[in-house]
Amino acid sequence: MSLINQTGILIYRATRTVRYQNQKVIHFAIQTTMITVSWLGFFAAYASHVMQDIPHLYSLHSWLGLSALLGVTISLVTSFLTFLYPKANPI
């Protein structure tokens, strides 16, 4: 999650010759990939716990991970609505 997230953040520095709107789209695509891979990992862990009859979310680590994943997902959705939604004001 953190490697793809860092790549998405560095897009603005690495692509200075690309138009700003295209940079935002590339950044959003990489961040969306990161969120998708993270949620797939969460569901894989959940399915593994179901198959092995292990309780879900029993440690602080799992609760913090789920909180971070939800926070990043909410951030991505609000960023889309603010910066990329077609009716939003261009920045």
Side-chain angles (χ1 to χ4, degrees), residues 23-78:
Q23 284 180 338
K24 291 194 308 186
V25 170
I26 293 168
H27 173 76
F28 181 75
I30 291 174
Q31 295 295 84
T32 303
T33 302
M34 183 263 307
I35 291 292
T36 304
V37 169
S38 299
W39 276 109
L40 285 173
F42 172 78
F43 289 127
Y46 192 86
S48 172
H49 283 208
V50 167
M51 290 189 311
Q52 297 177 5
D53 199 29
I54 300 173
H56 303 290
L57 301 172
Y58 60 90
S59 68
L60 180 62
H61 180 265
S62 59
W63 281 103
L64 290 176
L66 181 60
S67 301
L69 188 55
L70 287 172
V72 172
T73 302
I74 291 169
S75 173
L76 183 76
V77 169
T78 56

